[in-house]
Amino acid sequence: MIRAWREHLALTQAEMARRLEIRQPSYAAMEAPDAKPKKATRERIAAAMGLSLEQLDF
C-alpha cells in the first residue's frame, strides 16, 4: 500500500526519502514486497504523505 499511495500522490521515492530525511535506498527498502515496517515507521510515512495511518494501512 505504501507504494500505491506514493504513486497515487505522484511522489517519487527520492521525494519521500527527502520528506523522511533518509536516503532513497532506505526508503525503497520500506516499499519492498516483503517489507514489514514498524508502526512508528508507517506513521512517519503516512504523515509525510499527508495521510492518516488508517488510510495507509487500508
Side-chain angles (χ1 to χ4, degrees):
M1 285 303 295
I2 294 172
R3 179 180 178 181
W5 269 109
R6 177 182 58 77
E7 290 177 346
H8 175 74
L9 297 170
L11 298 168
T12 64
Q13 286 187 349
E15 175 60 26
M16 283 301 300
R18 276 192 296 277
R19 290 180 181 201
L20 295 168
E21 298 179 348
I22 60 175
R23 294 178 48 227
Q24 184 274 331
S26 298
Y27 178 79
M30 295 177 195
E31 284 192 0
D34 59 341
K36 297 189 188 293
K38 294 179 182 180
K39 182 179 179 183
T41 302
R42 294 191 323 271
E43 288 172 340
R44 287 185 62 214
I45 293 169
M49 291 181 177
L51 304 171
S52 68
L53 181 58
E54 292 76 24
Q55 288 174 291
L56 187 64
D57 283 349
F58 176 63

